[in-house]
Amino acid sequence: MARKWRMEEKPTSPGILFAGRDFDEFLAIVQREPTESDPARVPSHLYFLVDTESSKLLGAIHIRHHINHPNLIETGGHIGYGICPSERRKGYATKMLGLAISEAKNIGLSDLLVTCKDANFASWKTIESNGGIFERTTNDEGQLARRYWIKVL
């Protein structure tokens, strides 16, 4: 999935999905990601959205347990997600984000910062469909990004 995705566009969110040169290196990097408290790193979990009938990977979502990091507090947020280019516009991102919000509750989060590029109208709709309340735009490496807060119920 990641190899095909890379061929279609530059790496996007979640960035960790594009780590490593091959699957084995990617897996080693993901397995080193902290899922518990580590003062030097932000604990996180990576999940995949899979079509269980075809075993096809549709997308991925990365949930960070906190955003106490300069990049995350401003533009990265608690969640980074993406759908394979060939599977977009089918409602998968909305479904995947909804599932991640439920998982965030299990992690103990009560409010989620979710961001997207200002030009990414589809992502606006995905976030807003999941209860995202627009806060403001900010500068993300020379591009405008939108900041949304989602209340975890």
Side-chain angles (χ1 to χ4, degrees):
M1 174 188 71
R3 187 177 320 116
K4 187 175 180 181
W5 199 338
R6 277 186 198 156
M7 290 171 43
E8 294 188 34
E9 65 187 11
K10 68 179 184 172
T12 60
S13 188
I16 194 168
L17 186 61
F18 300 95
R21 293 180 305 258
D22 56 31
F23 182 75
D24 290 335
E25 189 175 349
F26 160 77
L27 191 56
I29 290 167
V30 170
Q31 288 175 331
R32 286 193 306 266
E33 282 289 295
T35 56
E36 304 299 326
S37 292
D38 177 344
R41 310 206 36 218
V42 176
S44 64
H45 284 85
L46 178 65
Y47 297 93
F48 293 95
L49 184 66
V50 178
D51 178 338
T52 55
E53 289 182 21
S54 67
S55 296
K56 186 176 188 179
L57 291 170
L58 305 172
I61 194 158
H62 197 206
I63 304 173
R64 300 171 194 98
H65 295 210
H66 64 77
I67 54 174
N68 298 331
H69 181 279
N71 180 50
L72 297 178
I73 193 78
E74 186 61 24
T75 58
H78 288 96
I79 293 180
Y81 65 92
I83 298 294
C84 295
S86 63
E87 301 302 324
R88 292 179 183 159
R89 301 199 189 290
K90 298 177 183 178
Y92 294 136
T94 301
K95 177 70 173 171
M96 188 170 61
L97 182 55
L99 292 168
I101 292 166
S102 295
E103 186 58 30
K105 182 177 183 176
N106 294 336
I107 293 169
L109 297 171
S110 58
D111 295 288
L112 300 174
L113 174 63
V114 183
T115 66
C116 66
K117 299 291 186 212
D118 189 56
N120 189 344
F121 183 72
S123 210
W124 295 16
K125 291 299 174 192
T126 295
I127 297 166
E128 291 171 1
S129 293
N130 278 285
I133 303 298
F134 176 72
E135 179 192 53
R136 64 181 166 89
T137 56
T138 188
N139 185 333
D140 183 12
E141 297 178 3
Q143 295 182 21
L144 286 179
R146 296 175 67 88
R147 291 170 49 95
Y148 287 88
W149 287 95
I150 297 174
K151 189 80 170 159
V152 178
L153 305 174

